[in-house]
Amino acid sequence: MARSRIIFWAGAVLVTAGVSSLFLVSRPPAPTTLVALGVEGRTNSTPWAAAAGSFVAVAWGASVPGATDVFVAVSRDNGQTFGPPVQVNAAAGEAKLGGEFPPRVALVAREGVADPEIAVLWTARGETTAIKTARSRDGGATFDAPTTLQAAAAPGQRGWPALALDQQGAAHAIWLDHRGMAPAKTADATHAAHKKTDAAYDGVAMAQKSGLYYASAGATVQSERELAKGVCYCCKTTIVVAPDGAIHAAWRHVYAGNLRDMASIVSRDGGRTFSEPVRVSEDRWAISGCPDDGPAMAVDQAGAVHMVWPTMLEGAEPEGALFYSSSADGVTYAERTRVPTLGQSKPQHPQIVVDAKGRMMVAWDEFTDGMRAALAREVTVAQGRPVEFGPVVRITPAGPSTYPVLAATAAGILAVWSTGGDAPSIAARTIPWR
């Protein structure tokens, strides 16, 4: 039977680096519990997390050779303990997952019901790939039959989906779609097409064959449709719903000259229409291939959008960096601000979360001490600009860790990550606010 395991860890590790005048040193976080999640006898990786008060849901992929399933485990005590994992997908072994395209989970509170409704989104493999979603209305004990979001006859490959729920419980999903390259037979082939580096390769023309697609699923399913062409096909996407119902989405776009910058759109009518894409920042990172590293987005109670993303800085020795920007309306973004990292190697896979009090934290992974390590730091923002960065906190006590994800609980920020390596596993811990 699938079981979750709990490991107790008696201390937190603080990593400091004076890489910014805004860097502050404070006492390490209080001791917390390290929780291990997984299905016994399987390889467990690609987590995602969502929280509503003290209720937490974590989704991930659990694999045996040649087959992967999506599981969810829930906690009612801010992620200190979890119930047994429950399988979400109905077709055994169908899930196609990765660090940039994990299963997504989202929650919505229900009036008069203690537990929120849970929605899960994932990519399913087949002759062509499919984007599927399923719901739990009983606190994660069972899941409804999955709903497929793309058209039944849609050719080609698709993936890298993101999910958000509005206040009425409708699911809003985006994904990257390669039907414009059909009859390409496999996702690996289409991914390889975006990796070509020969002189004849035209990344802009190639990207025009890939699109950003959207669909919603609530009381009814709103038919899929293409929102933009020219997407960078192998980078994660992000979507959030603001308190006023505005839907914000972002992805890595391919601009003239093979510049791979962040683009954003917003809908203010429940997804019926979207604005024209806007360029969040002109970073001037030209690359003839996909970086496999996309943006992350969060929205605060005032409706302001906060975004982090990775890019490369120009120079004799190009340098990887993370940047932050915000927007009050989803159309005009502030000038980018660099997020101070350890500065030892290319920081990747950023995430961001904002809690109900407006406190903000970012996370990423970076090569340090001979391994990739998941790191996090608080960010204080005023008038749309960071004014203070807290100390860098190493999320894990020891060993490698990659692809951290964050969820704001009543007790602090729950960080969930994969240990990486040949036999990855999943762990979680709460990072208390300073």
Side-chain angles (χ1 to χ4, degrees):
M1 185 176 88
R3 295 186 297 170
S4 58
R5 298 174 292 116
I6 298 176
I7 301 170
F8 294 98
W9 172 44
V13 177
L14 179 69
V15 180
T16 59
V19 295
S20 168
S21 60
L22 297 178
F23 181 87
L24 298 178
V25 177
S26 68
R27 56 187 172 86
T32 57
T33 301
L34 186 71
V35 181
L37 292 168
V39 179
E40 288 189 355
R42 296 194 181 208
T43 298
N44 299 277
S45 62
T46 66
W48 197 259
S54 60
F55 188 97
V56 178
V58 177
W60 71 93
S63 303
V64 294
T68 300
D69 296 303
V70 177
F71 283 82
V72 166
V74 303
S75 169
R76 293 176 175 82
D77 58 6
N78 299 297
Q80 297 305 298
T81 62
F82 283 82
V86 175
Q87 186 170 324
V88 179
N89 56 301
E94 72 170 1
K96 181 176 178 60
L97 308 174
E100 283 290 284
F101 50 104
R104 301 297 185 106
V105 61
L107 308 175
V108 63
R110 296 177 291 170
E111 187 174 355
V113 180
D115 290 340
E117 190 165 300
I118 305 171
V120 182
L121 182 77
W122 69 96
T123 306
R125 73 182 84 202
E127 185 175 344
T128 63
T129 45
I131 307 300
K132 294 186 177 183
T133 183
R135 299 253 181 164
S136 175
R137 308 171 201 275
D138 55 11
T142 62
F143 282 85
D144 295 344
T147 297
T148 300
L149 295 183
Q150 87 286 344
Q157 307 300 320
R158 55 201 51 84
W160 291 266
L163 171 71
L165 298 181
D166 63 27
Q167 289 81 354
Q168 291 71 47
H172 301 274
I174 57 171
W175 65 89
L176 305 181
D177 202 293
H178 233 31
R179 68 189 66 186
M181 287 192 70
K185 296 300 183 183
T186 67
D188 290 340
T190 54
H191 184 280
H194 277 258
K195 289 289 189 180
K196 290 181 179 178
T197 57
D198 57 84
Y201 175 73
D202 186 339
V204 177
M206 179 68 70
Q208 289 299 313
K209 299 179 181 180
S210 300
L212 179 78
Y213 274 69
Y214 164 84
S216 69
T220 60
V221 175
Q222 188 178 127
S223 298
E224 59 157 8
R225 65 184 188 279
E226 189 178 57
L227 300 181
K229 286 186 178 298
V231 301
C232 193
Y233 186 65
C234 305
C235 292
K236 71 176 178 285
T237 62
T238 180
I239 187 168
V240 295
V241 178
D244 66 358
I247 304 166
H248 301 269
W251 66 98
R252 189 182 293 278
H253 199 80
V254 183
Y255 290 93
N258 260 342
L259 300 180
R260 311 245 166 177
D261 293 337
M262 300 303 110
S264 176
I265 52 176
V266 59
S267 171
R268 300 192 180 280
D269 57 8
R272 288 184 288 276
T273 63
F274 281 84
S275 65
E276 289 296 314
V278 298
R279 194 172 191 166
V280 174
S281 173
E282 190 166 346
D283 296 337
R284 304 203 60 78
W285 183 16
I287 177 174
S288 295
C290 186
D292 291 355
D293 204 355
M297 184 184 282
V299 63
D300 64 28
Q301 293 299 305
V305 177
H306 306 270
M307 191 187 304
V308 292
W309 69 93
T311 192
M312 292 292 289
L313 300 177
E314 295 180 298
E317 296 184 7
E319 179 184 3
L322 303 182
F323 283 92
Y324 162 91
S325 183
S326 66
S327 174
D329 57 7
V331 176
T332 302
Y333 280 82
E335 182 180 355
R336 70 180 189 177
T337 298
R338 187 171 181 177
V339 177
T341 63
L342 296 183
Q344 298 181 15
S345 183
K346 181 180 177 183
Q348 293 179 304
H349 314 131
Q351 295 293 340
I352 185 169
V353 68
V354 181
D355 76 354
K357 296 181 179 180
R359 296 174 295 190
M360 188 184 308
M361 187 173 288
V362 297
W364 67 96
D365 62 56
E366 186 172 357
F367 193 81
T368 182
D369 298 330
M371 68 188 76
R372 291 207 73 85
L375 308 166
R377 71 187 317 166
E378 291 183 43
V379 184
T380 302
V381 174
Q383 298 180 340
R385 303 283 293 176
V387 296
E388 177 181 300
F389 288 94
V392 176
V393 176
R394 185 161 180 166
I395 295 175
T396 46
S401 49
T402 60
Y403 292 101
V405 295
L406 305 173
T409 76
I413 296 299
L414 184 72
V416 186
W417 65 93
S418 172
T419 62
D422 295 332
S425 59
I426 297 168
R429 63 160 285 214
T430 295
I431 306 173
W433 296 107
R434 287 184 294 142

